[in-house]
Amino acid sequence: MTACAFCGRENDEASRFCMDCGKPMSVSTPVSCPRCARTVEEGMPFCGHCGTRVITTASTSTCGNCSAPFDLGVDVFCARCGTRVGERVSVEDDVDGLARSRTRTTGPRLSLLDESGGVAARFSLDRGDAVVGRGDADIRFDDVYLSPLHARLEVRDGELWVRDLGSRNGTWTFIDEPTRLCDGDVMLIGSQLIRFRRLGYPGPHPPEADATRRMGSVTPSADVAVLEQ
C-alpha cells in the first residue's frame, strides 16, 4: 500500500490516482496554466484556479449517436454531432440533511434551495464553468420560467461570474446590503421593474461647455439621475 501525498489515504501500489481525492499518486512536475499562469500539477486536466483545460491527452471512447471518437473526462459534447458525452457538474442530493454525492465534487459549489430556504441539492462546477437552463444545460431544471440555455457561470481569476444568455425572464441577484448602481442597472422591487439612468451631469465637462440643457427636475439643482418604471 502507498499513502497519497495529498490526503494520506492508503492506495494500492499500482494506483495512478488516489481513490479518495483523485490526485496523482506519482511525483509530478508542476506546469503553468496558459491562461492564469498558476501552477497546476502534471496530470490534472483543468486548472484548479480558473478552470482552463491544461492537457488534452485522455482515454478515448465513441459517441453513442454517431460513433465519432471523443476524449473521456475532457470532452463534454461530440465534435461531430453535438451529442452530450460528458458532464461539467457534479451533483449532491441533500436528503434528511445528509449530502449524498453522486460523483466526486471538486469545484465551486452552488446550492438549490427549497421553499423553506433549506438546501435541496448542491452542484459543483468541476471544470470551472457551467450553463444553467431547462434544456441541454449542465445544470438542468424542469422550470417553465427558465429558458433552455438561460445563464452561464464561469470562474475568472478566482471569482465566480454569471452571464445571462439572452433568456426571456433574465437573471437576477438578491442584494442585502447597500449596492452602488451603474447606468442602465435594472432592479426588481416586488413586481416593479425599475431602471437607473444617469443624466450625464455633473460630468467631465461643465454644463455650459456645449449649451445643452439637462433633462430632469430643477429641484434640487444637482439632479444627476432618474429612476424609470
Side-chain angles (χ1 to χ4, degrees), residues 52-97:
T52 299
R53 183 187 297 177
V54 293
I55 63 172
T56 57
T57 57
S59 57
T60 61
S61 184
T62 55
C63 172
N65 183 55
C66 69
S67 300
F70 68 89
D71 290 337
L72 283 171
V74 175
D75 294 330
V76 178
F77 296 94
C78 173
R80 178 183 295 174
C81 68
T83 298
R84 180 179 288 270
V85 293
E87 297 294 339
R88 293 189 181 97
V89 175
S90 297
V91 182
E92 294 179 6
D93 291 319
D94 196 73
V95 182
D96 299 327

Side-chain angles (χ1 to χ4, degrees), residues 113-152:
L113 305 183
D114 57 25
E115 294 181 356
S116 62
V119 177
R122 293 186 178 92
F123 304 89
S124 176
L125 278 61
D126 296 336
R127 306 195 183 193
D129 65 284
V131 173
V132 182
R134 195 182 74 250
D136 191 15
D138 301 299
I139 302 177
R140 296 178 290 275
F141 299 108
D142 185 17
D143 186 337
V144 295
Y145 297 105
L146 280 177
S147 294
L149 300 177
H150 196 102
R152 180 180 180 85

Side-chain angles (χ1 to χ4, degrees), residues 201 203-211:
Y201 169 68
H205 306 290
E208 64 275 9
D210 58 4

Side-chain angles (χ1 to χ4, degrees), residues 17-197:
F17 297 90
C18 175
M19 67 177 68
D20 191 57
C21 69
K23 296 289 185 179
M25 291 294 294
S26 60
V27 177
S28 60
T29 302
V31 296
S32 296
C33 171
R35 178 176 179 182
C36 68
R38 297 297 182 95
T39 299
V40 183
E41 289 187 26
E42 185 179 10
M44 300 300 289
F46 295 90
C47 173
H49 182 72
C50 67
T52 299
R53 183 187 297 177
V54 293
I55 63 172
T56 57
T57 57
S59 57
T60 61
S61 184
T62 55
C63 172
N65 183 55
C66 69
S67 300
F70 68 89
D71 290 337
L72 283 171
V74 175
D75 294 330
V76 178
F77 296 94
C78 173
R80 178 183 295 174
C81 68
T83 298
R84 180 179 288 270
V85 293
E87 297 294 339
R88 293 189 181 97
V89 175
S90 297
V91 182
E92 294 179 6
D93 291 319
D94 196 73
V95 182
D96 299 327
L98 298 175
R100 301 175 180 176
S101 178
R102 299 181 194 170
T103 55
R104 188 179 308 280
T105 58
T106 58
R109 287 182 175 180
L110 303 173
S111 296
L112 173 66
L113 305 183
D114 57 25
E115 294 181 356
S116 62
V119 177
R122 293 186 178 92
F123 304 89
S124 176
L125 278 61
D126 296 336
R127 306 195 183 193
D129 65 284
V131 173
V132 182
R134 195 182 74 250
D136 191 15
D138 301 299
I139 302 177
R140 296 178 290 275
F141 299 108
D142 185 17
D143 186 337
V144 295
Y145 297 105
L146 280 177
S147 294
L149 300 177
H150 196 102
R152 180 180 180 85
L153 299 159
E154 182 179 357
V155 176
R156 301 179 186 173
D157 299 326
E159 297 180 331
L160 188 61
W161 289 68
V162 60
R163 177 168 62 91
D164 189 80
L165 297 177
S167 64
R168 173 164 295 183
N169 292 311
T171 302
W172 305 84
T173 58
F174 288 103
I175 58 173
D176 53 10
E177 60 185 15
T179 301
R180 182 175 182 176
L181 295 175
C182 297
D183 182 51
D185 280 353
V186 178
M187 298 171 284
L188 180 64
I189 303 177
S191 61
Q192 305 302 311
L193 281 176
I194 306 294
R195 178 185 288 112
F196 172 78
R197 297 306 305 267

